[in-house]
Amino acid sequence: MFIVAFVCASLFQFIWVPRVTKILIQAETREIHRQAEVIADGLTPFILSNQSAAIYENLNSIGQRHSDWYSIVLTRADQRQLYPMSRVEPETGANVISLSHDIVLRGDLWGRLEVHADLSAQIAQLHDELRRLGVFTIVVVLISGATLGLFVDRLITRRLVKLADAADQLGSGNYEAELPRPGQDEVGRLTKSFSAMRSHIIENVSSLEAARREAENALKVKSQFLATMSHELRTPLNGIVPVAEMLMASDLDTGQRKDVETIQKASKSLLHIVDDILDLTKLEEGRLEPRKKPFDIADLVTEVATMLQASAKSKGLELVSDIDVSVAGRYAGDGERIKQILVNLVGNAIKFTRSGTVTIRCRSLAEGQGHTRFLFEVEDTGIGIAETDQNRVFERFEQAEGGLTRRFGGSGLGLSIAKNLVFALGGDIGLNSKLGDGSTFWFSLPLEKTDDAVAEPPIDAARPECSPAPAQHETCRPLDILIADDNEINRSVTTLMLEKMGHNVIAVENGRDAFDKVATTDFDVVFMDVHMPDMDGLEATRRIRKLPSERAGTFVVALTASVMEQDVLDCREAGMDDFLSKPLSSAAIAKSLEAASI
């Protein structure tokens, strides 16, 4: 009997205990690895939008929910530790699990998430339960002998096998495996402990999935907000850009022409700012594609200085450009976005400088294989930035002076846009500053040298270029044109532009009136705003296409301040023949009339 008891104890100690322990460790390892992937996915939206506080709060909350995780470490690819703030010394031991998960954004390694867990408490609890079970088994064997052996298989072994099978399935992601009935004995207590652990894992997985869905929904809402903001800003621009264009085509003296040119440049810059708001969405979704065109760096820097000269003078500041001779020549790159970066940095320098000078510098750093890296610097004699604030000024909606006492205003988007654009163009950005002693913001970019004229690609409907209107647009005859737009300024401006071209124009306020006009009157072209009350332009166009007469084929041009790709597709699906984004230009209108083959 003692031999039987010894054999049973040995089998239990050297087979069952290691097996259940191994299964528990493997299941926990797989589960921690799976949760690390879920955590990394949940952090991706906050990483893309540079929300450091949200990253810290999420990781801190997750760490508190996992008592057996003694540390979670988030490190960037450049070995900079983002969480926690203090350095974590890894522990060692047979019961310590250390896993890492690479975070890859847009095909590049962004960083690594490390999870360190100590299972000593769980394993110790498991061993305690198993030891009790072993003692209980030996006592039963000694007292009951062969009779008790018949029940061991039914009362203990089978339940342990089922529990071990449930542990195996838990490790593979199946949380519905059947558990033995939780009785009052040691196996029942072990079953309860295992069941509680499984419920805890299920709860954590559910909360992480919910957080991931919430983050995805937040990103979608934000993208829709930016698209709506772009639409609302483009609408009033349609009352500025075309009018300035028409003024340029009129008889002006030298001073007036210079003033109108300033309006044109400023409105063009504002239009690019609106487009950059949409670019924030594309940057976060990894869809921003830099446009490569030849441009002269010296001319670009000079244009920025000229554009902001009036703003500097109004504050009594001197705006100086210092362009090194090494930057002479034309280079291929995204000149418009580089200009936008400079406008943001110089505008900030002017805003935060009370007196003195703002200097724009540009010089080449080094030549690489097929490209040259250039350094752009914007130096001011302003208020400077404290060292503790320098890491957050590039974050969205952040300024060095925060809170209710902030004196200088602004949305806090400029530096965030600049940083994201620099990174998208393959460059680096940073600053050198001392509180009360001015700041120097810098960024460096690689550009390709080119001496050949490169034909510019066709204008993208989502980012129209503002070009001076030709002196005269001619067609074979005056056209009968209908304009449908609910905005009075837009109707007036578009009507004036078409009448200056010699066409006959009728304007209505909504899609229903437009449809009624087309149904009873012959028009050569209809310029149809997409978003209108009562009946929008899409529905009006669909009804026009269903007219029983030849008027169903009237050439319809979509006018809209919504410039997302889906907006263009919606217009095409509604039956519209062409698409013009606001603000309009005479050249774009003439091109659309030419597309009508009239």
Side-chain angles (χ1 to χ4, degrees):
M1 191 63 64
F2 284 99
I3 295 176
V4 174
F6 177 81
V7 170
C8 290
S10 299
L11 291 174
F12 192 86
Q13 181 65 30
F14 297 105
I15 295 178
W16 281 108
V17 172
R19 181 186 177 191
V20 175
T21 301
K22 182 179 179 181
I23 289 172
L24 177 63
I25 293 176
Q26 289 176 345
E28 279 293 316
T29 301
R30 288 191 291 264
E31 184 57 27
I32 291 175
H33 186 272
R34 181 180 179 279
Q35 292 192 39
E37 292 179 347
V38 174
I39 293 171
D41 291 341
L43 292 177
T44 298
F46 302 113
I47 293 174
L48 288 171
S49 56
N50 297 308
Q51 299 185 38
S52 302
I55 294 173
Y56 189 94
E57 182 179 352
N58 272 268
L59 290 178
N60 193 49
S61 175
I62 291 169
Q64 292 176 355
R65 290 201 299 266
H66 295 80
S67 59
D68 52 346
W69 291 13
Y70 71 85
S71 72
I72 304 174
V73 181
L74 179 62
T75 309
R76 289 197 339 191
D78 57 2
Q79 303 304 314
R80 178 185 174 189
Q81 182 174 305
L82 300 182
Y83 180 88
M85 294 302 183
S86 59
R87 182 173 180 81
V88 177
E89 294 295 334
E91 298 182 8
T92 58
N95 301 329
V96 174
I97 299 176
S98 296
L99 295 175
S100 65
H101 178 72
D102 291 341
I103 300 176
V104 179
L105 301 180
R106 309 184 187 103
D108 296 325
L109 178 65
W110 180 88
R112 180 174 290 106
L113 179 70
E114 297 177 8
V115 177
H116 306 280
D118 189 352
L119 303 183
S120 299
Q122 294 188 39
I123 293 175
Q125 182 182 1
L126 177 65
H127 287 179
D128 288 340
E129 297 294 335
L130 291 177
R131 278 194 294 271
R132 294 190 187 96
L133 182 61
V135 173
F136 175 78
T137 302
I138 293 173
V139 171
V140 171
V141 169
L142 292 174
I143 296 176
S144 302
T147 304
L148 186 59
L150 180 66
F151 292 96
V152 168
D153 181 67
R154 299 185 60 183
L155 298 178
I156 300 177
T157 307
R158 292 185 184 180
R159 295 165 69 188
L160 288 175
V161 169
K162 184 177 290 186
L163 192 60
D165 182 64
D168 287 333
Q169 295 189 50
L170 177 64
S172 62
N174 179 15
Y175 302 106
E176 304 298 330
E178 182 183 0
L179 295 176
R181 287 180 298 177
Q184 298 301 318
D185 56 8
E186 281 72 9
V187 178
R189 293 171 62 185
L190 183 62
T191 301
K192 291 178 181 178
S193 298
F194 185 89
S195 178
M197 180 186 70
R198 187 172 70 173
S199 299
H200 185 62
I201 292 173
I202 294 173
E203 181 181 350
N204 287 339
V205 170
S206 299
S207 62
L208 289 172
E209 290 293 339
R212 180 179 179 178
R213 289 193 298 270
E214 184 178 351
E216 290 174 348
N217 291 335
L219 183 61
K220 186 182 298 182
V221 170
K222 181 176 62 178
S223 298
Q224 182 60 42
F225 167 75
L226 293 177
T228 302
M229 181 185 292
S230 172
H231 177 278
E232 295 302 321
L233 290 174
R234 280 177 176 274
T235 298
L237 275 175
N238 195 51
I240 301 174
V241 175
V243 173
E245 179 183 295
M246 287 186 287
L247 284 173
M248 284 295 293
S250 62
D251 294 330
L252 301 174
D253 59 36
T254 303
Q256 291 172 333
R257 184 168 297 276
K258 185 175 181 180
D259 291 340
V260 175
E261 286 177 351
T262 301
I263 293 175
Q264 278 194 315
K265 288 180 180 179
S267 59
K268 185 177 180 180
S269 176
L270 179 57
L271 179 59
H272 281 291
I273 291 174
V274 174
D275 289 330
D276 282 331
I277 293 175
L278 290 179
D279 285 342
L280 285 176
T281 304
K282 294 181 180 180
L283 283 164
E284 292 172 351
E285 297 175 358
R287 297 189 295 108
L288 182 68
E289 297 181 2
R291 299 182 298 275
K292 187 175 293 186
K293 300 178 184 178
F295 70 97
D296 188 289
I297 297 179
D299 290 346
L300 185 147
V301 174
T302 301
E303 183 178 348
V304 171
T306 302
M307 185 186 308
L308 297 174
Q309 192 67 245
S311 178
K313 285 184 177 179
S314 67
K315 294 188 65 175
L317 304 177
E318 183 179 5
L319 180 57
V320 179
S321 57
D322 181 6
I323 306 171
D324 193 82
V325 293
S326 62
V327 304
R330 290 172 64 80
Y331 293 83
D334 199 332
E336 287 299 334
R337 289 197 171 102
I338 295 174
K339 181 166 66 176
Q340 180 56 45
I341 296 167
L342 282 173
V343 167
N344 278 332
L345 296 182
V346 177
N348 262 11
I350 293 172
K351 180 170 65 174
F352 290 101
T353 302
R354 297 189 184 92
S355 62
T357 306
V358 174
T359 305
I360 310 173
R361 295 191 181 91
C362 181
R363 59 186 173 91
S364 62
L365 292 177
E367 292 191 5
Q369 205 168 25
H371 70 270
T372 304
R373 180 167 285 272
F374 290 90
L375 176 66
F376 298 84
E377 294 178 306
V378 177
E379 181 182 8
D380 64 62
T381 56
I383 62 174
I385 301 172
E387 186 175 353
T388 55
D389 294 325
Q390 292 180 15
N391 290 331
R392 66 182 181 87
V393 294
F394 288 105
E395 302 299 325
R396 194 172 305 170
F397 306 113
E398 290 285 354
Q399 290 188 355
E401 288 199 350
L404 297 174
T405 60
R406 189 172 59 191
R407 292 170 289 161
F408 294 92
S411 65
L413 279 174
L415 291 179
S416 175
I417 292 174
K419 182 187 72 171
N420 282 280
L421 288 176
V422 168
F423 287 167
L425 297 177
D428 298 308
I429 189 170
L431 77 153
N432 301 306
S433 183
K434 185 177 180 181
L435 188 62
D437 196 25
S439 305
T440 299
F441 284 83
W442 60 266
F443 66 95
S444 63
L445 293 171
L447 297 173
E448 297 178 13
K449 181 69 181 291
T450 176
D451 294 320
D452 300 327
V454 180
E456 295 187 359
I459 295 174
D460 185 350
R463 297 184 68 99
E465 296 291 340
C466 299
S467 57
Q472 186 176 2
H473 296 288
E474 295 185 356
T475 57
C476 59
R477 61 180 174 82
L479 304 177
D480 294 321
I481 298 176
L482 175 66
I483 298 173
D485 197 316
D486 63 313
N487 187 284
E488 181 180 358
I489 294 177
N490 290 343
R491 286 198 310 273
S492 301
V493 170
T494 310
T495 299
L496 183 59
M497 294 172 73
L498 288 168
E499 287 179 345
K500 282 182 174 291
M501 295 179 185
H503 303 301
N504 304 314
V505 182
I506 295 178
V508 295
E509 297 181 2
N510 56 63
R512 188 176 302 280
D513 291 345
F515 170 73
D516 292 340
K517 285 288 185 181
V518 174
T520 58
T521 309
D522 292 328
F523 290 98
D524 297 305
V525 180
V526 176
F527 286 94
M528 184 80 73
D529 185 34
V530 174
H531 301 287
M532 292 184 289
D534 194 17
M535 180 187 294
D536 63 29
L538 300 178
E539 179 60 26
T541 303
R542 294 189 191 100
R543 295 194 181 189
I544 289 173
R545 297 306 181 216
K546 294 178 182 179
L547 288 173
S549 63
E550 294 181 355
R551 292 168 180 155
T554 302
F555 195 86
V556 178
V557 180
L559 302 180
T560 180
S562 300
V563 292
M564 305 298 283
E565 293 177 4
Q566 187 58 45
D567 298 314
V568 180
L569 293 176
D570 291 342
C571 292
R572 296 298 186 190
E573 290 176 359
M576 294 179 168
D577 301 289
D578 201 1
F579 182 97
L580 292 181
S581 61
K582 298 175 183 178
L584 304 177
S585 68
S586 297
I589 292 176
K591 185 176 180 181
S592 186
L593 294 178
E594 182 181 349
S597 299
I598 298 173

